[in-house]
Amino acid sequence: MSEFASLLASFKQNAAAASSNQPSSRSPSSTQVVINQQNQTRKRPHPNNTNVHSSPSFPSFHSHTRKNKGFQLSFLVIGAQKAGTSWLHTLLQKCNPIALPREQKEVHFWDWHYRKGFDWYIRQFDFPQKAPSPSSGSNNNNPLYGEITPCYIVLPPSTIAEIHKCFPTLRIIFVARDLVDRAWSAMKMELRDQTMGLNAGEFAQGSALAGGGNGKQESSKRARTSDKAPSISVAQQRRLQQQSSPSSQPDSYYLDRLRSETHSSRSDYATHLGNWFTHYPCENILIVDYRDIENNPRDVLLKIVMHIGVEEKEAKAYVEKLTDEDVTQRVNAATNTTSDNVGIRPSLRKQMEDLLRPHAAKFNLLLKEQGYSWKLNEY
């Protein structure tokens, strides 16, 4: 057993022992408090979730039969993961006509939580309590309800068909990032999650998202638990962090992960977007170049909010009101970690490019067919 695996096993054993010594389930161990708190920083798909590939069905909520005509889902941001969606979520929260879920960025209704029912989904948006903007001319003064869940890009065709039956005029946004850079960022995030006791391919789950929710409330939670350190020494924590650093893993580790279903599927932009284009016309689907977020964030934001349905005059006023700091900030809880700044080794990058080149070429063909003038790097 490697030193890293031994340390991680020790960490899990200490957490389990501390948890078993608690007299009540209402009083979790200090280790579990810390792990649960860390898990609440993100919400991503878990491979053991049985709902991910099954199909929701809401015939009573299809557009032609739905009794509750007041709620209309206006948009979904369906991806890509690690492509600026937390940045977008933070800025859309400042746009008055737009109504995002009240507590979290990623609702995961259409893959994880659809069994909770359509009424549960509607309640995530504070419907109908949220008052429309008095100055908005958008959508007859009704809020533009929508959510950002990057995993929706890989929804199965049957689920997309059901979404279309419920919301045939839905607007879709997809942000496309360079395939190698996106995969590298995702795999680094996955490796960091291993320090929280998760295995490769698993992802932390929780309701509080980076860039969303009440920042003061989250800071308060951290302050209350800062004196409850896990049952692991500082030296062990440091060694775990060092050995879970991206530079500690060989090329073969990343190539194996890149070939896995988790990362391979998310790199196949064209196939999954094709499923959405099967049900929605091209004018309903906006594909955004991630590089434009870095180079022209205001122009990108204006294009997105107008695509969602905000009228041009109000959209321009909203974008102009934002500060330069607002539009250039990086919104991701992991960006302050040392591992986030670790670049790809040249030998690994070349092999990743070889693996992802067919996906890039296929996606660029789709862009051309849909009338876009830009394309991703084909290496």
Side-chain angles (χ1 to χ4, degrees), residues 264-333:
S264 177
S265 178
R266 294 185 183 212
S267 298
D268 191 359
Y269 294 168
T271 294
H272 296 299
L273 279 172
N275 293 334
W276 287 89
F277 276 112
T278 297
H279 297 281
Y280 287 95
C282 59
E283 59 266 23
N284 283 52
I285 301 177
L286 175 66
I287 305 175
V288 176
D289 186 351
Y290 176 81
R291 293 166 294 192
D292 287 343
I293 293 179
E294 297 179 326
N295 299 326
N296 303 294
R298 292 183 186 273
D299 291 346
V300 170
L301 196 58
L302 179 62
K303 183 185 300 184
I304 289 173
V305 295
M306 289 182 61
H307 179 74
I308 287 171
V310 179
E311 290 190 349
E312 183 176 4
K313 181 178 179 180
E314 185 168 12
K316 288 182 176 179
Y318 150 71
V319 172
E320 290 172 0
K321 187 177 180 180
L322 295 170
T323 66
D324 289 341
E325 183 179 0
D326 287 334
V327 299
T328 58
Q329 65 180 316
R330 292 189 68 186
V331 185
N332 188 318

Side-chain angles (χ1 to χ4, degrees), residues 41-46 76-82 85-86 89 100-113 120-121 124-125 146-152 189 203-213 266 332:
T41 62
R42 304 186 191 98
K43 184 174 185 177
R44 298 187 176 96
H46 191 294
L76 288 175
V77 180
I78 62 173
Q81 182 199 46
K82 311 304 294 181
T85 56
S86 292
H89 178 263
L100 295 166
R102 67 180 183 274
E103 292 182 354
Q104 60 198 42
K105 171 193 165 193
E106 301 177 27
V107 175
H108 283 281
F109 175 72
W110 296 102
D111 49 5
W112 294 358
H113 300 305
W120 177 88
Y121 187 44
Q124 306 312 300
F125 299 89
E147 55 145 324
I148 301 174
T149 301
C151 302
Y152 286 167
M189 176 187 70
F203 294 83
Q205 300 186 59
S207 60
L209 276 296
R266 294 185 183 212
N332 188 318

Side-chain angles (χ1 to χ4, degrees), residues 339-365:
S339 63
D340 187 72
N341 298 318
V342 175
I344 312 176
R345 294 184 292 268
S347 61
L348 175 59
R349 174 176 282 279
K350 176 64 168 62
Q351 295 176 86
M352 291 178 64
E353 290 175 352
D354 290 343
L355 280 174
L356 295 175
R357 185 177 295 112
H359 288 320
K362 186 177 178 181
F363 176 66
N364 285 339
L365 180 59

Side-chain angles (χ1 to χ4, degrees), residues 25-254:
S25 60
R26 296 183 180 181
S27 302
S29 69
S30 59
T31 301
Q32 194 63 45
V33 167
V34 174
I35 292 175
N36 286 343
Q37 179 191 343
Q38 290 175 317
N39 285 350
Q40 288 178 351
T41 62
R42 304 186 191 98
K43 184 174 185 177
R44 298 187 176 96
H46 191 294
N48 294 329
N49 189 300
T50 58
N51 293 344
V52 171
H53 295 297
S54 56
S55 300
S57 179
F58 303 103
S60 62
F61 290 96
H62 291 174
S63 60
H64 63 283
T65 60
R66 189 176 349 134
K67 296 179 181 179
N68 189 348
K69 296 293 185 181
F71 180 83
Q72 178 65 35
L73 190 67
S74 297
F75 71 95
L76 288 175
V77 180
I78 62 173
Q81 182 199 46
K82 311 304 294 181
T85 56
S86 292
W87 169 86
L88 181 59
H89 178 263
T90 298
L91 292 177
L92 291 184
Q93 287 180 311
K94 302 176 185 292
C95 187
N96 200 28
I98 292 175
L100 295 166
R102 67 180 183 274
E103 292 182 354
Q104 60 198 42
K105 171 193 165 193
E106 301 177 27
V107 175
H108 283 281
F109 175 72
W110 296 102
D111 49 5
W112 294 358
H113 300 305
Y114 65 84
R115 295 185 187 278
K116 295 181 178 179
F118 212 86
D119 290 338
W120 177 88
Y121 187 44
I122 291 174
R123 288 197 302 271
Q124 306 312 300
F125 299 89
D126 276 337
F127 178 85
Q129 288 80 13
K130 181 178 175 65
S133 165
S135 61
S136 174
S138 303
N139 201 27
N140 296 321
N141 285 339
N142 290 323
L144 295 164
Y145 295 101
E147 55 145 324
I148 301 174
T149 301
C151 302
Y152 286 167
I153 181 59
V154 297
L155 286 175
S158 57
T159 299
I160 299 172
E162 183 65 18
I163 294 173
H164 181 263
K165 291 176 183 177
C166 295
F167 304 107
T169 62
L170 186 71
R171 293 303 180 104
I172 310 298
I173 298 100
F174 178 78
V175 184
R177 183 180 180 182
D178 177 90
L179 291 179
V180 171
D181 292 341
R182 192 216 65 80
W184 175 245
S185 182
M187 290 190 293
K188 286 194 298 180
M189 176 187 70
E190 180 182 71
L191 190 59
R192 286 192 299 263
D193 285 345
Q194 290 188 24
T195 63
M196 293 159 36
L198 299 174
N199 297 319
E202 295 179 342
F203 294 83
Q205 300 186 59
S207 60
L209 276 296
N214 188 325
K216 293 182 178 179
Q217 182 182 21
E218 290 303 309
S219 297
S220 176
K221 289 180 181 178
R222 293 189 186 96
R224 290 197 299 270
T225 59
S226 61
D227 59 337
K228 302 178 180 180
S231 301
I232 185 171
S233 70
V234 173
Q236 285 177 316
Q237 290 184 52
R238 186 179 300 114
R239 288 160 66 191
L240 274 173
Q241 292 172 353
Q242 290 173 347
Q243 296 192 42
S244 65
S245 169
S247 59
S248 70
Q249 301 296 329
D251 290 0
S252 58
Y253 167 84
Y254 294 107

